[in-house]
Amino acid sequence: MTTTDTTTRFQLAEKDLPTAWYNALPDLPEPLQPPLHPGTREPVGPADLAPLFPMPLIEQEMTQAPWIDIPGPVLDILRLWRPTPLVRARRLEQALGTPARIYYKDESVSPAGSHKPNTAVAQAYYNAQAGTKRLSTETGAGQWGSALAFACAQFDLECKVYMVRASYEQKPYRRVLMETWGASVVASPVDDPNHPGSLGTAISDAVRDAATRDDTHYSLGSVLNHVLLHQTVIGLEAKEQLALAGEERPDVVVGSCGGGSNLGGIALPFMNDTRVRLVAFEPSSCPTLTSGKFEYDFGDTAGMTPLLPMYTLGHDFVPPSIHAGGLRYHGDSPIISSLVKTRRMEAVACPQSKTFEAAVQFARTEGKIPAPETGHAIRGVIDEALAAKEAGEERVILFNYSGHGFLDLAAYDDYNHGRLADE
Amino acid sequence: MTTTDTTTRFQLAEKDLPTAWYNALPDLPEPLQPPLHPGTREPVGPADLAPLFPMPLIEQEMTQAPWIDIPGPVLDILRLWRPTPLVRARRLEQALGTPARIYYKDESVSPAGSHKPNTAVAQAYYNAQAGTKRLSTETGAGQWGSALAFACAQFDLECKVYMVRASYEQKPYRRVLMETWGASVVASPVDDPNHPGSLGTAISDAVRDAATRDDTHYSLGSVLNHVLLHQTVIGLEAKEQLALAGEERPDVVVGSCGGGSNLGGIALPFMNDTRVRLVAFEPSSCPTLTSGKFEYDFGDTAGMTPLLPMYTLGHDFVPPSIHAGGLRYHGDSPIISSLVKTRRMEAVACPQSKTFEAAVQFARTEGKIPAPETGHAIRGVIDEALAAKEAGEERVILFNYSGHGFLDLAAYDDYNHGRLADE
């Protein structure tokens, strides 16, 4: 079916904001193996997690209920920017000369500029309800930390962010965002001012903070089941919007993949329709899904978190310093890992320079400057669209435009001037 | 009338995008005085302007036609982000405890992050139609230059931007934006690498470029009548959206004012309803409307442009280096100047620190980080809302959220840490 009108953006009304999250757990091809206690290696129970998370989030981590109602106060904040637009990338299609129809879900319109606030708001809400006064978290370049800082400001929670020292010193702008929303930001590791830090050290600092203070819980921006659950609003909205566009279903759903939350958010609601291909794009410098092993591993370098069943490069893996900081994680979401292991989802690795080439082509045709992470998805989309051209097939491609690149322009400067290293 | 529902964003369908611009010229309280030739001081005719602009823009500069059709190819690009949302700032209202209802038009959702592309796209289109191969322009911090670079990429025009050298060296990110969209950017003045530059030198460089090359026209991002004309889509959409919100009309329309294009865009379509107050907010460090003289003056420092009838601080006025770079202009749009002179529009000046205080209050309640220019409008809105509270009146306040602050975070850093000088 080819539409003859020129509609570019398919917009849902505010009343069409989803009122429940879709839970993928009961529908996975194989049941997830449980997380294990880092000390005993026995399955963890709710009580083990209670020092870190409020009970509703622990329940969401484990429940088999197919749908979870979104609380009203969460909806009240999500509607500051949701439903987000579904945009047909007509100008990119024309530039590629492809018969494919390309649609993207624009998550860059949130206050923090990415999909991250979808779960930050929910986590801040449940913590505020439980009487938590303060949240601690880690952040690399600052995407997640800024989303949580925004969310905490909405519920009058204090927010303490441990930011990887190298980013804290060299990429100050997301620190400024966090501080503007009222968060307190320190460089990690806190106990060694000469150490450049890593996501591993920052998780350790944040978990230690939460574990040792009664008024404080810990908050994580990806990987965990409840995080992917909160992100499913993306795919649920996209499904309705594709119907508005006259599309029966996407042939392929594409997302970039680091910890898995933006990909899970758009892909999980399409999981049960096996005619829809699901594809993860990851950096070839941190090829968790394509070159990692599926096994139990820690979420952090120091081995303080529960062991999760996932694809991993090893918790001591140190990825090169590529620009898509949000994709530099040694492990991956257990849900995404399970989908790849059971071959329900495909995974592809691509080098940094190819993702910037795709991002710039998108910027010059569609106008918007993508985050480097999002550039991985766009690389995948362009390759899929060219494959459709080769095959002479009208395929429908859906992807998640997970964030804008206004705070990543130094990376574009490197690319524009030939200074971008590939690995 | 108080609505009882909780709708936050009032969204028009793509088919409701305005198809004609509103021309304020025939409706002004007094006819505009004509621009004068810088040499002869006689009124300029179309032939005088032909080396710089294509004929349709020259006609739009002077026409008395009440409406001008928007060309289809311009609409095709505007619909990448238009109609923009009208948002009710409910959380800000609550924080202020005001009975006022506050609505803002969110122009930050454009690819360049501001209202500027509304006219950049139209100017690039008319130039491409006229066979122009290349556009030259000036830019201060880069808001306008990045909008024109985006627009030129859509019509395969070369784009040459003369950027004030101090910004070129100290604020590189909008230069990167421009280059990513394919523009060529150089520091101005081009003939003196030790000079920090000013908007005046950059205009001179850009005009000289266009005047001396057959393939090149000049493009200006504010002040001129045709620029304000192209921006009226903002107010035309807002009018429809206020009706959706159940509001008969705004009591007051507020905008920040530098050259006048964002304020004109939202305010002019309400000009004929004298029950609607129109208010310009400008920096007290560059108080063109509140302390300037109404007289003929040059648009640039060197005196190369026609003389315009406007409020001006003198074309050799050098404003302090405040963060709202887009508001540091010695003159003002003749249309806005005429409205202030005839008392149809009010003007208020405010100090920088008060505008950042307002911007941060907005960020913590509504989530979005405004551009420093937009902070001036928000200062005005908060003052109007507090006046309504004082009077115990349910006033309807409309303002233009002209751009986001993701590329201005250094200014927030200064404010957050007490380093912001007031003048």
Side-chain angles (χ1 to χ4, degrees), chain A residues 155-187:
Chain A
F155 291 106
D156 286 326
L157 290 171
E158 279 184 65
C159 182
K160 175 80 171 222
V161 182
Y162 295 88
M163 185 172 187
V164 172
R165 177 169 280 107
S167 295
Y168 183 92
E169 289 173 353
Q170 292 158 29
K171 298 179 180 175
Y173 291 117
R174 285 208 181 86
R175 168 182 64 73
V176 181
L177 266 189
M178 295 185 255
E179 290 174 345
T180 301
W181 279 314
S184 159
V185 187
V186 292

mmCIF file of all heavy atoms in Angstrom, chain A residues 155-187:
data_model
loop_
_atom_site.group_PDB
_atom_site.id
_atom_site.type_symbol
_atom_site.label_atom_id
_atom_site.label_comp_id
_atom_site.label_asym_id
_atom_site.label_seq_id
_atom_site.Cartn_x
_atom_site.Cartn_y
_atom_site.Cartn_z
ATOM 1 N N PHE A 155 9.254 15.671 41.452
ATOM 2 C CA PHE A 155 8.688 15.049 42.658
ATOM 3 C C PHE A 155 9.405 15.513 43.931
ATOM 4 O O PHE A 155 9.304 14.859 44.967
ATOM 5 C CB PHE A 155 8.754 13.522 42.546
ATOM 6 C CG PHE A 155 7.820 12.977 41.496
ATOM 7 C CD1 PHE A 155 8.312 12.521 40.290
ATOM 8 C CD2 PHE A 155 6.448 12.948 41.721
ATOM 9 C CE1 PHE A 155 7.456 12.021 39.319
ATOM 10 C CE2 PHE A 155 5.588 12.448 40.752
ATOM 11 C CZ PHE A 155 6.082 11.990 39.544
ATOM 12 N N ASP A 156 10.130 16.623 43.836
ATOM 13 C CA ASP A 156 10.847 17.163 44.992
ATOM 14 C C ASP A 156 11.758 16.155 45.665
ATOM 15 O O ASP A 156 11.841 16.099 46.893
ATOM 16 C CB ASP A 156 9.850 17.727 46.021
ATOM 17 C CG ASP A 156 9.257 19.038 45.539
ATOM 18 O OD1 ASP A 156 9.970 19.792 44.868
ATOM 19 O OD2 ASP A 156 8.070 19.292 45.836
ATOM 20 N N LEU A 157 12.425 15.332 44.869
ATOM 21 C CA LEU A 157 13.421 14.403 45.399
ATOM 22 C C LEU A 157 14.803 15.008 45.211
ATOM 23 O O LEU A 157 15.072 15.636 44.191
ATOM 24 C CB LEU A 157 13.383 13.076 44.632
ATOM 25 C CG LEU A 157 12.177 12.164 44.830
ATOM 26 C CD1 LEU A 157 12.236 11.014 43.827
ATOM 27 C CD2 LEU A 157 12.154 11.624 46.248
ATOM 28 N N GLU A 158 15.677 14.811 46.205
ATOM 29 C CA GLU A 158 17.080 15.140 45.976
ATOM 30 C C GLU A 158 17.668 14.138 44.995
ATOM 31 O O GLU A 158 17.275 12.969 44.985
ATOM 32 C CB GLU A 158 17.863 15.047 47.281
ATOM 33 C CG GLU A 158 17.758 16.246 48.171
ATOM 34 C CD GLU A 158 18.663 16.057 49.384
ATOM 35 O OE1 GLU A 158 19.895 15.997 49.209
ATOM 36 O OE2 GLU A 158 18.107 15.955 50.497
ATOM 37 N N CYS A 159 18.629 14.573 44.220
ATOM 38 C CA CYS A 159 19.222 13.694 43.213
ATOM 39 C C CYS A 159 20.739 13.840 43.253
ATOM 40 O O CYS A 159 21.263 14.949 43.141
ATOM 41 C CB CYS A 159 18.680 14.065 41.824
ATOM 42 S SG CYS A 159 19.281 13.023 40.495
ATOM 43 N N LYS A 160 21.413 12.712 43.462
ATOM 44 C CA LYS A 160 22.880 12.720 43.521
ATOM 45 C C LYS A 160 23.411 11.884 42.363
ATOM 46 O O LYS A 160 23.088 10.699 42.257
ATOM 47 C CB LYS A 160 23.325 12.118 44.851
ATOM 48 C CG LYS A 160 24.821 11.964 44.999
ATOM 49 C CD LYS A 160 25.480 13.276 45.392
ATOM 50 C CE LYS A 160 26.925 13.108 45.760
ATOM 51 N NZ LYS A 160 27.281 13.911 46.944
ATOM 52 N N VAL A 161 24.218 12.500 41.523
ATOM 53 C CA VAL A 161 24.694 11.808 40.325
ATOM 54 C C VAL A 161 26.214 11.642 40.381
ATOM 55 O O VAL A 161 26.944 12.621 40.560
ATOM 56 C CB VAL A 161 24.314 12.577 39.042
ATOM 57 C CG1 VAL A 161 24.775 11.807 37.807
ATOM 58 C CG2 VAL A 161 22.808 12.823 38.982
ATOM 59 N N TYR A 162 26.662 10.405 40.259
ATOM 60 C CA TYR A 162 28.085 10.107 40.152
ATOM 61 C C TYR A 162 28.419 10.013 38.669
ATOM 62 O O TYR A 162 27.960 9.121 37.968
ATOM 63 C CB TYR A 162 28.417 8.799 40.890
ATOM 64 C CG TYR A 162 28.184 8.934 42.381
ATOM 65 C CD1 TYR A 162 26.931 8.661 42.937
ATOM 66 C CD2 TYR A 162 29.194 9.391 43.220
ATOM 67 C CE1 TYR A 162 26.700 8.814 44.301
ATOM 68 C CE2 TYR A 162 28.977 9.557 44.587
ATOM 69 C CZ TYR A 162 27.722 9.265 45.119
ATOM 70 O OH TYR A 162 27.505 9.434 46.461
ATOM 71 N N MET A 163 29.205 10.971 38.212
ATOM 72 C CA MET A 163 29.477 11.078 36.772
ATOM 73 C C MET A 163 30.922 10.653 36.505
ATOM 74 O O MET A 163 31.847 11.087 37.201
ATOM 75 C CB MET A 163 29.262 12.537 36.343
ATOM 76 C CG MET A 163 29.383 12.787 34.843
ATOM 77 S SD MET A 163 28.871 14.506 34.448
ATOM 78 C CE MET A 163 28.910 14.440 32.654
ATOM 79 N N VAL A 164 31.090 9.815 35.514
ATOM 80 C CA VAL A 164 32.426 9.353 35.127
ATOM 81 C C VAL A 164 33.367 10.561 35.003
ATOM 82 O O VAL A 164 33.047 11.520 34.289
ATOM 83 C CB VAL A 164 32.351 8.591 33.785
ATOM 84 C CG1 VAL A 164 33.738 8.260 33.256
ATOM 85 C CG2 VAL A 164 31.506 7.327 33.951
ATOM 86 N N ARG A 165 34.486 10.553 35.737
ATOM 87 C CA ARG A 165 35.317 11.744 35.855
ATOM 88 C C ARG A 165 35.762 12.321 34.504
ATOM 89 O O ARG A 165 35.744 13.536 34.303
ATOM 90 C CB ARG A 165 36.544 11.486 36.740
ATOM 91 C CG ARG A 165 37.481 12.711 36.833
ATOM 92 C CD ARG A 165 38.568 12.604 37.897
ATOM 93 N NE ARG A 165 38.032 12.906 39.222
ATOM 94 C CZ ARG A 165 37.806 12.032 40.170
ATOM 95 N NH1 ARG A 165 38.072 10.769 39.973
ATOM 96 N NH2 ARG A 165 37.311 12.412 41.324
ATOM 97 N N ALA A 166 36.128 11.451 33.577
ATOM 98 C CA ALA A 166 36.602 11.948 32.270
ATOM 99 C C ALA A 166 35.520 12.805 31.606
ATOM 100 O O ALA A 166 35.805 13.875 31.068
ATOM 101 C CB ALA A 166 36.990 10.780 31.376
ATOM 102 N N SER A 167 34.264 12.352 31.680
ATOM 103 C CA SER A 167 33.166 13.136 31.106
ATOM 104 C C SER A 167 32.907 14.397 31.931
ATOM 105 O O SER A 167 32.646 15.467 31.377
ATOM 106 C CB SER A 167 31.878 12.307 31.053
ATOM 107 O OG SER A 167 32.010 11.230 30.172
ATOM 108 N N TYR A 168 32.959 14.250 33.248
ATOM 109 C CA TYR A 168 32.723 15.379 34.148
ATOM 110 C C TYR A 168 33.657 16.534 33.797
ATOM 111 O O TYR A 168 33.252 17.696 33.774
ATOM 112 C CB TYR A 168 32.946 14.931 35.590
ATOM 113 C CG TYR A 168 32.679 15.978 36.650
ATOM 114 C CD1 TYR A 168 31.425 16.084 37.245
ATOM 115 C CD2 TYR A 168 33.686 16.845 37.070
ATOM 116 C CE1 TYR A 168 31.170 17.031 38.225
ATOM 117 C CE2 TYR A 168 33.447 17.792 38.047
ATOM 118 C CZ TYR A 168 32.192 17.888 38.616
ATOM 119 O OH TYR A 168 31.945 18.840 39.579
ATOM 120 N N GLU A 169 34.896 16.187 33.472
ATOM 121 C CA GLU A 169 35.879 17.232 33.197
ATOM 122 C C GLU A 169 35.862 17.707 31.747
ATOM 123 O O GLU A 169 36.047 18.882 31.480
ATOM 124 C CB GLU A 169 37.280 16.735 33.590
ATOM 125 C CG GLU A 169 37.411 16.646 35.122
ATOM 126 C CD GLU A 169 38.718 16.009 35.580
ATOM 127 O OE1 GLU A 169 39.477 15.506 34.723
ATOM 128 O OE2 GLU A 169 38.966 16.014 36.804
ATOM 129 N N GLN A 170 35.606 16.776 30.813
ATOM 130 C CA GLN A 170 35.733 17.140 29.397
ATOM 131 C C GLN A 170 34.411 17.454 28.715
ATOM 132 O O GLN A 170 34.377 18.094 27.678
ATOM 133 C CB GLN A 170 36.428 16.004 28.631
ATOM 134 C CG GLN A 170 37.894 15.848 29.023
ATOM 135 C CD GLN A 170 38.405 14.450 28.688
ATOM 136 O OE1 GLN A 170 37.938 13.811 27.761
ATOM 137 N NE2 GLN A 170 39.376 13.989 29.453
ATOM 138 N N LYS A 171 33.306 16.975 29.245
ATOM 139 C CA LYS A 171 32.004 17.210 28.624
ATOM 140 C C LYS A 171 31.055 17.803 29.656
ATOM 141 O O LYS A 171 30.148 17.134 30.157
ATOM 142 C CB LYS A 171 31.443 15.891 28.079
ATOM 143 C CG LYS A 171 32.305 15.265 27.004
ATOM 144 C CD LYS A 171 31.698 13.951 26.516
ATOM 145 C CE LYS A 171 32.586 13.332 25.437
ATOM 146 N NZ LYS A 171 32.100 11.996 25.020
ATOM 147 N N PRO A 172 31.250 19.074 29.984
ATOM 148 C CA PRO A 172 30.548 19.647 31.143
ATOM 149 C C PRO A 172 29.065 19.926 30.911
ATOM 150 O O PRO A 172 28.339 20.172 31.866
ATOM 151 C CB PRO A 172 31.297 20.966 31.380
ATOM 152 C CG PRO A 172 31.831 21.336 30.035
ATOM 153 C CD PRO A 172 32.159 20.029 29.345
ATOM 154 N N TYR A 173 28.573 19.875 29.663
ATOM 155 C CA TYR A 173 27.250 20.465 29.439
ATOM 156 C C TYR A 173 26.106 19.688 30.051
ATOM 157 O O TYR A 173 25.158 20.285 30.552
ATOM 158 C CB TYR A 173 27.028 20.737 27.953
ATOM 159 C CG TYR A 173 27.933 21.853 27.489
ATOM 160 C CD1 TYR A 173 28.908 21.654 26.544
ATOM 161 C CD2 TYR A 173 27.820 23.109 28.085
ATOM 162 C CE1 TYR A 173 29.745 22.686 26.164
ATOM 163 C CE2 TYR A 173 28.660 24.144 27.714
ATOM 164 C CZ TYR A 173 29.621 23.934 26.756
ATOM 165 O OH TYR A 173 30.449 24.952 26.399
ATOM 166 N N ARG A 174 26.191 18.345 30.036
ATOM 167 C CA ARG A 174 25.101 17.611 30.691
ATOM 168 C C ARG A 174 25.186 17.752 32.217
ATOM 169 O O ARG A 174 24.178 17.672 32.895
ATOM 170 C CB ARG A 174 25.051 16.157 30.229
ATOM 171 C CG ARG A 174 24.469 16.045 28.818
ATOM 172 C CD ARG A 174 23.780 14.710 28.575
ATOM 173 N NE ARG A 174 23.260 14.653 27.198
ATOM 174 C CZ ARG A 174 23.976 14.265 26.148
ATOM 175 N NH1 ARG A 174 25.232 13.910 26.298
ATOM 176 N NH2 ARG A 174 23.426 14.254 24.950
ATOM 177 N N ARG A 175 26.385 17.987 32.766
ATOM 178 C CA ARG A 175 26.480 18.333 34.183
ATOM 179 C C ARG A 175 25.688 19.618 34.453
ATOM 180 O O ARG A 175 24.937 19.706 35.434
ATOM 181 C CB ARG A 175 27.938 18.535 34.611
ATOM 182 C CG ARG A 175 28.048 19.187 35.996
ATOM 183 C CD ARG A 175 29.487 19.438 36.441
ATOM 184 N NE ARG A 175 30.237 20.385 35.622
ATOM 185 C CZ ARG A 175 30.061 21.710 35.604
ATOM 186 N NH1 ARG A 175 29.138 22.270 36.371
ATOM 187 N NH2 ARG A 175 30.794 22.478 34.814
ATOM 188 N N VAL A 176 25.825 20.597 33.568
ATOM 189 C CA VAL A 176 25.098 21.857 33.750
ATOM 190 C C VAL A 176 23.586 21.610 33.701
ATOM 191 O O VAL A 176 22.826 22.157 34.504
ATOM 192 C CB VAL A 176 25.506 22.891 32.687
ATOM 193 C CG1 VAL A 176 24.756 24.194 32.905
ATOM 194 C CG2 VAL A 176 27.016 23.121 32.694
ATOM 195 N N LEU A 177 23.146 20.777 32.763
ATOM 196 C CA LEU A 177 21.721 20.411 32.704
ATOM 197 C C LEU A 177 21.257 19.860 34.048
ATOM 198 O O LEU A 177 20.234 20.282 34.593
ATOM 199 C CB LEU A 177 21.499 19.305 31.672
ATOM 200 C CG LEU A 177 21.114 19.628 30.250
ATOM 201 C CD1 LEU A 177 20.741 18.328 29.527
ATOM 202 C CD2 LEU A 177 19.933 20.587 30.201
ATOM 203 N N MET A 178 22.014 18.892 34.553
ATOM 204 C CA MET A 178 21.626 18.246 35.820
ATOM 205 C C MET A 178 21.556 19.268 36.946
ATOM 206 O O MET A 178 20.606 19.281 37.729
ATOM 207 C CB MET A 178 22.625 17.142 36.161
ATOM 208 C CG MET A 178 22.606 15.992 35.161
ATOM 209 S SD MET A 178 23.702 14.604 35.638
ATOM 210 C CE MET A 178 25.074 14.851 34.502
ATOM 211 N N GLU A 179 22.546 20.148 37.009
ATOM 212 C CA GLU A 179 22.568 21.151 38.079
ATOM 213 C C GLU A 179 21.424 22.145 37.920
ATOM 214 O O GLU A 179 20.858 22.621 38.902
ATOM 215 C CB GLU A 179 23.921 21.868 38.104
ATOM 216 C CG GLU A 179 25.043 20.957 38.586
ATOM 217 C CD GLU A 179 26.425 21.594 38.484
ATOM 218 O OE1 GLU A 179 26.566 22.630 37.786
ATOM 219 O OE2 GLU A 179 27.359 21.050 39.079
ATOM 220 N N THR A 180 21.083 22.465 36.671
ATOM 221 C CA THR A 180 19.987 23.404 36.438
ATOM 222 C C THR A 180 18.671 22.817 36.941
ATOM 223 O O THR A 180 17.814 23.537 37.457
ATOM 224 C CB THR A 180 19.912 23.775 34.949
ATOM 225 O OG1 THR A 180 21.152 24.348 34.561
ATOM 226 C CG2 THR A 180 18.792 24.778 34.679
ATOM 227 N N TRP A 181 18.525 21.512 36.823
ATOM 228 C CA TRP A 181 17.328 20.854 37.364
ATOM 229 C C TRP A 181 17.459 20.586 38.864
ATOM 230 O O TRP A 181 16.590 19.953 39.460
ATOM 231 C CB TRP A 181 17.045 19.560 36.595
ATOM 232 C CG TRP A 181 16.336 19.801 35.291
ATOM 233 C CD1 TRP A 181 15.260 20.617 35.090
ATOM 234 C CD2 TRP A 181 16.638 19.229 34.016
ATOM 235 N NE1 TRP A 181 14.883 20.586 33.758
ATOM 236 C CE2 TRP A 181 15.701 19.741 33.083
ATOM 237 C CE3 TRP A 181 17.594 18.315 33.565
ATOM 238 C CZ2 TRP A 181 15.708 19.385 31.725
ATOM 239 C CZ3 TRP A 181 17.601 17.970 32.223
ATOM 240 C CH2 TRP A 181 16.662 18.506 31.319
ATOM 241 N N GLY A 182 18.576 21.014 39.470
ATOM 242 C CA GLY A 182 18.689 20.940 40.924
ATOM 243 C C GLY A 182 19.473 19.763 41.463
ATOM 244 O O GLY A 182 19.572 19.594 42.679
ATOM 245 N N ALA A 183 20.040 18.922 40.595
ATOM 246 C CA ALA A 183 20.793 17.761 41.075
ATOM 247 C C ALA A 183 22.186 18.163 41.548
ATOM 248 O O ALA A 183 22.710 19.204 41.163
ATOM 249 C CB ALA A 183 20.903 16.704 39.971
ATOM 250 N N SER A 184 22.754 17.315 42.388
ATOM 251 C CA SER A 184 24.134 17.476 42.823
ATOM 252 C C SER A 184 24.985 16.452 42.075
ATOM 253 O O SER A 184 24.655 15.265 42.050
ATOM 254 C CB SER A 184 24.178 17.266 44.343
ATOM 255 O OG SER A 184 25.475 16.944 44.750
ATOM 256 N N VAL A 185 26.050 16.919 41.449
ATOM 257 C CA VAL A 185 26.847 16.058 40.567
ATOM 258 C C VAL A 185 28.290 16.035 41.050
ATOM 259 O O VAL A 185 28.871 17.090 41.297
ATOM 260 C CB VAL A 185 26.810 16.582 39.109
ATOM 261 C CG1 VAL A 185 27.495 15.598 38.157
ATOM 262 C CG2 VAL A 185 25.381 16.851 38.665
ATOM 263 N N VAL A 186 28.854 14.836 41.207
ATOM 264 C CA VAL A 186 30.267 14.725 41.564
ATOM 265 C C VAL A 186 30.952 13.767 40.599
ATOM 266 O O VAL A 186 30.311 12.913 39.988
ATOM 267 C CB VAL A 186 30.466 14.205 43.012
ATOM 268 C CG1 VAL A 186 29.989 15.239 44.023
ATOM 269 C CG2 VAL A 186 29.763 12.872 43.215
ATOM 270 N N ALA A 187 32.276 13.932 40.498
ATOM 271 C CA ALA A 187 33.058 13.068 39.614
ATOM 272 C C ALA A 187 33.329 11.732 40.309
ATOM 273 O O ALA A 187 33.525 11.674 41.521
ATOM 274 C CB ALA A 187 34.368 13.751 39.243
#
